[in-house]
Amino acid sequence: MTVLVLGGTAEARELAADLHARGVPVMSSLAGRVSAPRLPEGEVRIGGFGGPDGFAAWLVEQQVTAVVDATHPFAERISASAVTASRLTGVPLLRLARPGWEQGPGDDWHWVADLGEAARVVPTLGQRIFLTSGRQGLAAFAHLTGPWFLVRCVDPPSPPLPPKAEVVLARGPYTVASELSLLCEHGIDVLVTKDSGGAHTSAKLAACRDLGVPVVVVRRPDRSGAASVATVAAAVRWVLGIR
């Protein structure tokens, strides 16, 4: 069998490593949006498939037995293509989706539907904004001339950016101590993030809780259309069941 794992997430790498160690032929597909991605074990391909039809043709050509979509919770396009390609080819598809973050005591969270709504909300909460929502969505904030933004991303972002912005390039995981230091150093009074889930980047939420900083959280998009599990172990069991 050949298993295709979609995504450059920590869960995707863990799944590929587990399957590779078991002798299961696995190929990981990365979008190629990060200049120096952390490569998983096993075979790796980088780039798109040319839409759902191209994806379906590729699955048939490569004789893929099963697909595990372990992409980022906000990678809507590739997940939709995977659902369509699975239906067209009959190749089984599983979604590996880590649980979202849960608001706890002391958290001041403001849930929004998308980055456009986040841009409307943040000026009502503060004027020194920490943007951790990814470089591809920065255009949603480019029209805000009043607030100052600290923008954190892995690779340098492309315009448009907010006129008052400082960019810091960094890759997680982060610690609560380092996040506290960053928030205090820059006088941050609002955080903007997507509900990515997982412990890899959750330290900023704990830091905001400690400092009483409000957090604007973008809800996850609907990712229905495929069976879903929340853990790598469950995904491994699903794959081995197909064998």
Side-chain angles (χ1 to χ4, degrees):
M1 71 183 304
T2 299
V3 179
L4 175 66
V5 177
L6 300 174
T9 60
E11 291 81 8
R13 292 191 296 273
E14 184 181 344
L15 175 61
D18 193 310
L19 295 176
H20 185 73
R22 295 172 186 268
V24 178
V26 57
M27 176 184 294
S28 296
S29 178
L30 310 182
R33 294 196 179 112
V34 177
S35 59
R38 293 170 176 164
L39 297 179
E41 295 188 42
E43 191 174 352
V44 178
R45 71 175 298 278
I46 297 178
F49 294 94
D53 292 336
F55 196 171
W58 188 90
L59 292 177
V60 173
E61 177 186 336
Q62 298 295 320
Q63 298 182 334
V64 172
T65 312
V67 179
V68 179
D69 176 8
T71 56
H72 190 276
F74 286 81
E76 299 176 73
R77 183 177 300 178
I78 184 60
S79 292
S81 289
V83 169
T84 301
S86 173
R87 289 173 179 167
L88 290 173
T89 61
V91 175
L93 169 66
L94 180 73
R95 169 74 182 149
L96 171 55
R98 58 179 178 251
W101 290 317
E102 294 186 5
Q103 186 172 355
D107 287 324
D108 181 13
W109 289 8
H110 302 258
W111 291 90
V112 295
D114 52 35
L115 290 176
E117 185 178 356
R120 293 190 292 272
V121 169
V122 288
T124 69
L125 298 173
Q127 291 297 304
R128 295 186 66 82
I129 319 300
F130 186 20
L131 275 182
T132 64
S133 51
R135 62 189 174 98
Q136 295 184 6
L138 295 179
F141 303 89
H143 67 286
L144 297 177
T145 58
W148 177 87
F149 290 87
L150 178 65
V151 179
R152 183 168 70 191
C153 43
V154 176
D155 289 324
S158 301
L161 275 70
K164 300 176 184 177
E166 177 181 335
V167 176
V168 57
L169 302 181
R171 189 199 301 261
Y174 307 100
T175 66
V176 176
S178 66
E179 297 291 59
L180 282 169
S181 177
L182 187 68
L183 293 174
C184 292
E185 177 186 350
H186 293 282
I188 298 299
D189 53 18
V190 184
L191 168 70
V192 178
T193 186
K194 293 178 177 178
D195 181 19
S196 300
H200 203 63
T201 59
S202 63
K204 60 191 174 186
L205 301 175
C208 285
R209 182 187 311 121
D210 290 347
L211 296 174
V213 171
V215 181
V216 177
V217 187
V218 180
R219 296 184 186 278
R220 293 183 176 189
D222 178 30
R223 301 289 284 273
S224 58
S228 179
V229 296
T231 66
V232 171
V236 170
R237 290 193 296 268
W238 181 83
V239 170
L240 297 181
I242 291 177
R243 295 184 74 185

